[in-house]
Amino acid sequence: MNKAFVKESEGQEDDDLPEHLALPAGVRNYMTPDGYARLRGELVHLMNVERPSVVQIVSWAASNGDRSENGDYLYGKKRLREIDRRMRFLTRRLDIAEVVDTSAQPNRDQVFFGATVTYMDRAGEEHTVTIVGVDEAEPLQGRISWISPVARALIKAREGDTVVLRTPSGVDELEILEVRYPDPAPQ
């Protein structure tokens, strides 16, 4: 199929990042050791397992002849582009990552990157969140990015403090009940 009929751009694939994955200009890519290990593991898996497997399928499908109506070939090529795009993304993110050993935090009663914070909102609901890097954030599992509005409101506060959270839906007050960090690894 002629490239004129395919909505693909060469070289600009990496600029199509979802907005929540883009780092703001001038912001460092902080990451916990666990988050770094997870991303590194994903990159190694893509390079050593998934990509070779898909290359083998594409090679087999290509040997079957007509490629224009060969679903294995077309899907395989599409999957290879997705894998390559993800590998480039992971490589760039890991290259600029600044791994922060959160267990070495000296001010363990104050909220910084890597802290697990339990707070109560104005409605009396308790929430527990861990402040992590942009690439390891999973809000539904309580892992929020350090540049999120909640994390920005909590950072530098201490246990017992009440902080103001400004959101598009209004202003809320959060009372910090507990701040925890991972225990230092035994040496």
Side-chain angles (χ1 to χ4, degrees):
M1 178 178 270
N2 187 329
K3 282 202 181 239
F5 296 105
V6 180
K7 186 178 179 184
E8 291 181 16
S9 59
E10 292 187 27
Q12 292 184 345
E13 297 169 358
D14 299 332
D15 296 335
D16 298 339
L17 289 176
E19 189 175 315
H20 72 279
L21 291 178
L23 287 173
V27 170
R28 296 181 181 202
N29 190 23
Y30 294 117
M31 205 174 286
T32 63
D34 288 342
Y36 185 86
R38 267 195 308 277
L39 289 184
R40 182 86 180 121
E42 180 184 351
L43 178 61
V44 168
H45 177 76
L46 287 172
M47 281 190 317
N48 298 337
V49 178
E50 268 196 66
R51 192 173 197 291
S53 171
V54 174
V55 166
Q56 186 176 4
I57 291 170
V58 169
S59 176
W60 168 80
S63 71
N64 288 338
D66 185 16
R67 297 176 185 173
S68 65
E69 295 180 13
N70 186 333
D72 287 329
Y73 179 80
L74 295 173
Y75 173 76
K77 293 294 282 184
K78 179 180 178 191
R79 182 68 186 130
L80 273 177
R81 284 191 301 273
E82 292 168 356
I83 290 171
D84 288 343
R85 182 178 311 137
R86 182 69 180 166
M87 285 173 46
R88 280 192 307 275
F89 171 78
L90 290 171
T91 301
R92 276 201 327 268
R93 284 313 246 277
L94 291 170
D95 283 347
I96 63 169
E98 290 191 33
V99 179
V100 178
D101 182 7
T102 56
S103 65
Q105 177 57 252
N107 301 332
R108 298 178 85 73
D109 67 330
Q110 195 170 7
V111 180
F112 291 107
F113 180 85
T116 298
V117 183
T118 302
Y119 66 87
M120 186 176 355
D121 61 19
R122 192 181 293 164
E125 294 180 36
E126 278 191 23
H127 303 274
T128 300
V129 295
T130 301
I131 300 172
V132 297
V134 174
D135 296 322
E136 41 187 336
E138 297 177 46
L140 297 177
Q141 281 73 43
R143 299 172 57 83
I144 62 171
S145 164
W146 68 277
I147 60 174
S148 69
V150 172
R152 286 184 180 256
L154 294 172
I155 286 182
K156 294 191 179 175
R158 298 181 185 276
E159 286 183 16
D161 287 355
T162 300
V163 296
V164 175
L165 171 63
R166 294 183 193 330
T167 64
S169 61
V171 177
D172 197 0
E173 290 183 355
L174 311 177
E175 180 185 349
I176 300 173
L177 305 174
E178 182 183 19
V179 178
R180 295 184 320 271
Y181 289 91
D183 292 326
Q187 295 182 6

